Amino acid sequence: MGADEKRRSGRHALILLDLDRFTDVNDAHGHGFGDEVLVAVTDRLRGVAAPADTLARLGGDEFGLFVEDVDPLRAQHLAEHLRAELKAPIVIGTRTVHLTASLALVHLTPKAAPRDAVADAELALRAAKRAGRDRVSVYRPELRAARETFTRISAGLRHAIERGELTVHYQPVVELPSARIVAVEALLRWTPPTGPVPPLDFIPVAEETGMIVPIGAWVLEQACRDAKDWHDRHGTSLTVNVSVRQLAEPGFADQVLRTLARTGLPAAALVLEITESVFVGVADDAAPLLAALDGLRTHGIRVAIDDFGTGYSSLSYLTQLPVDILKIDRSFVPTSQEVGEDHAFTRAVLQLGTSRQLPAIAEGIETQEQAQLLHDLGCRLAQGYHFARPGPVAQVDAAFLRLNPALTP
């Protein structure tokens, strides 16, 4: 057996590389300049690849590198080397471009089918993009299983509204210490014939596919109709979660106002709930989203920031966002075992809200001890299983009878 045959491992690697936000380069400098950047990128990739490796441009700003006889560790180092190489500034004429890239790495055996290898690499590349870009994602079998689940959920969601499989449940928000209901939060539920699907499973699919736009419009309409009676009888408000995909729709603000006009719910009774991470993730393109929210606020609609405290820079973003209400994430709500502690973060959030005249709602309250502690800390609004679990309209009506008896006819 020759030396080359002994050296050959039979293990190969496929690396897919996609430049992050490359359309920004074309938009800013034109496609001609963008082509020059792609040539420079190709030269850099060639400088890292070995002569025996196969480098190809697969289209647009995506490249593929096939590496023969490479062990997994060296393939990982090669992928990281490529990523680091592309982070260095690219200078063309008088212009300097800073790029990052998302990479997918698939370890192959000689029996791997080329079509399957590319499909696996695309799954890993999608995972790298979803995880925040500028990273190497190694293909794992779980990615294929997750994609199959994604496809199945996506197919089911496309018909969920017309088949009557979607419902809206509501969880009361109460004031402390009386526990009187002052608001309800609308929560989407999906129950296909095969059984309930958890929101954590189907909401991300709806957002990624864009189906959250029609589904969100349906939720808003249904929730406003349901909440109208509670508002008339108890003066309660309604909170509806809104995704970045909905906010980005050009006619979103008009749609909200038309929904209020059709259902009769006053604008002052509606709270749109967003997560701070929405704006962290689209910081460069947030202006239209902020404008939509600002426009709605001029009509009296309020905006709540959900999961406050879990974002990358909550305090700094709070000064920039159109916010009326803070919702304290349950991970920062004191537990019954922590009653004797200082709870500095909870105090800080509450004091911050007070200083900016923003009421705070504590989520995830499960015991009377937690409710009492939060009241002692200065929190006046809360929601959680201790007061009422999410449920359909009839269950919420029962909660009103139990918690707001004096106001019920």
Side-chain angles (χ1 to χ4, degrees):
M1 184 179 293
D4 287 345
E5 290 176 315
K6 290 181 180 179
R7 180 177 57 80
R8 296 178 69 85
S9 67
R11 291 177 294 183
H12 314 309
L14 175 63
I15 299 173
L16 285 193
L17 180 152
D18 187 85
L19 300 177
D20 298 326
R21 303 185 187 281
F22 189 72
T23 54
D24 292 348
V25 175
N26 286 329
D27 292 343
H29 305 290
H31 288 272
F33 180 80
D35 290 341
E36 293 185 66
V37 174
L38 290 174
V39 171
V41 167
T42 303
D43 290 340
R44 287 197 179 182
L45 297 178
R46 284 174 177 161
V48 175
D53 299 340
T54 302
L55 175 66
R57 181 183 172 194
L58 304 179
D61 55 2
E62 186 173 303
F63 298 81
L65 182 65
F66 178 67
V67 187
E68 294 187 77
D69 298 299
V70 60
D71 64 76
L73 183 59
R74 194 174 84 78
Q76 179 76 38
H77 288 164
L78 176 60
E80 292 291 353
H81 188 184
L82 291 169
R83 186 176 74 91
E85 188 70 18
L86 290 179
K87 287 175 72 74
I90 296 177
V91 180
I92 298 177
T94 59
R95 299 171 179 170
T96 301
V97 176
H98 297 272
L99 297 174
T100 62
S102 300
L103 295 91
L105 170 60
V106 182
H107 301 296
L108 305 173
T109 65
K111 296 182 180 180
R115 181 177 297 179
D116 292 340
V118 173
D120 292 344
E122 289 175 345
L123 288 174
L125 186 60
R126 189 177 291 112
K129 293 283 189 180
R130 283 201 303 266
R133 302 181 175 89
D134 187 22
R135 66 194 64 221
V136 176
S137 175
V138 181
Y139 171 77
R140 309 180 311 279
E142 304 93 272
L143 292 177
R144 180 166 295 282
R147 192 62 189 177
E148 291 172 353
T149 299
F150 179 98
T151 302
R152 175 176 52 80
I153 290 176
S154 175
L157 270 179
R158 292 189 185 282
H159 305 287
I161 294 179
E162 62 189 59
R163 292 173 179 170
E165 297 171 356
L166 297 180
T167 56
V168 183
H169 285 193
Y170 303 90
Q171 185 173 35
V173 176
V174 307
E175 64 179 9
L176 299 175
S178 67
R180 185 177 70 86
I181 299 174
V182 295
V184 293
E185 179 181 358
L187 301 168
L188 179 62
R189 297 293 185 259
W190 178 30
T191 309
T194 54
V197 181
L200 287 176
D201 290 347
F202 74 83
I203 293 295
V205 175
E207 292 180 346
E208 185 170 337
T209 60
M211 284 187 284
I212 195 66
V213 174
I215 289 175
W218 177 85
V219 170
L220 180 65
E221 180 94 21
Q222 184 64 49
C224 287
R225 292 190 185 283
D226 290 341
K228 173 67 164 55
D229 182 58
W230 295 323
H231 173 75
D232 290 345
R233 289 190 290 133
H234 305 284
T236 52
S237 59
L238 166 70
T239 296
V240 178
N241 294 276
V242 176
S243 76
V244 65
R245 293 293 293 266
Q246 292 172 267
L247 282 174
E249 287 292 302
F252 174 74
D254 290 338
Q255 176 207 331
V256 172
L257 296 175
R258 288 195 302 268
T259 301
L260 291 175
R262 281 194 302 271
T263 60
L265 186 71
L270 178 62
V271 178
L272 298 179
E273 187 171 303
I274 59 176
T275 59
E276 179 206 357
S277 59
V278 162
F279 293 98
V280 174
V282 296
D284 296 335
D285 304 310
L289 312 186
L290 296 174
L293 291 175
D294 275 327
L296 290 170
R297 291 176 80 217
T298 63
H299 291 273
I301 296 170
R302 289 170 292 166
V303 175
I305 291 287
D306 191 22
D307 299 335
F308 185 76
T310 61
Y312 295 104
S313 49
S314 295
L315 300 184
S316 62
Y317 269 82
L318 189 59
T319 64
Q320 305 171 32
L321 299 180
V323 182
D324 302 288
I325 300 169
L326 302 181
K327 299 197 74 174
I328 305 174
D329 184 70
R330 67 181 63 237
S331 62
F332 298 111
V333 171
T335 66
S336 301
Q337 290 74 32
E338 300 171 335
V339 172
E341 298 183 11
D342 181 52
H343 312 299
F345 185 87
T346 307
R347 289 180 186 275
V349 172
L350 292 170
Q351 290 171 1
L352 177 65
T354 300
S355 67
R356 300 188 62 82
Q357 297 182 322
L358 302 175
I361 302 173
E363 298 181 287
I365 309 305
E366 298 183 353
T367 67
Q368 176 58 36
E369 290 82 3
Q370 284 180 297
Q372 184 60 52
L373 176 58
L374 284 163
H375 179 256
D376 293 343
L377 291 173
C379 184
R380 295 295 176 262
L381 299 171
Q383 68 182 112
Y385 287 179
H386 174 62
F387 308 106
R389 292 176 176 269
V393 169
Q395 184 174 317
V396 179
D397 283 337
F400 272 106
L401 287 172
R402 176 169 54 88
L403 299 174
N404 295 37
L407 298 181
T408 303

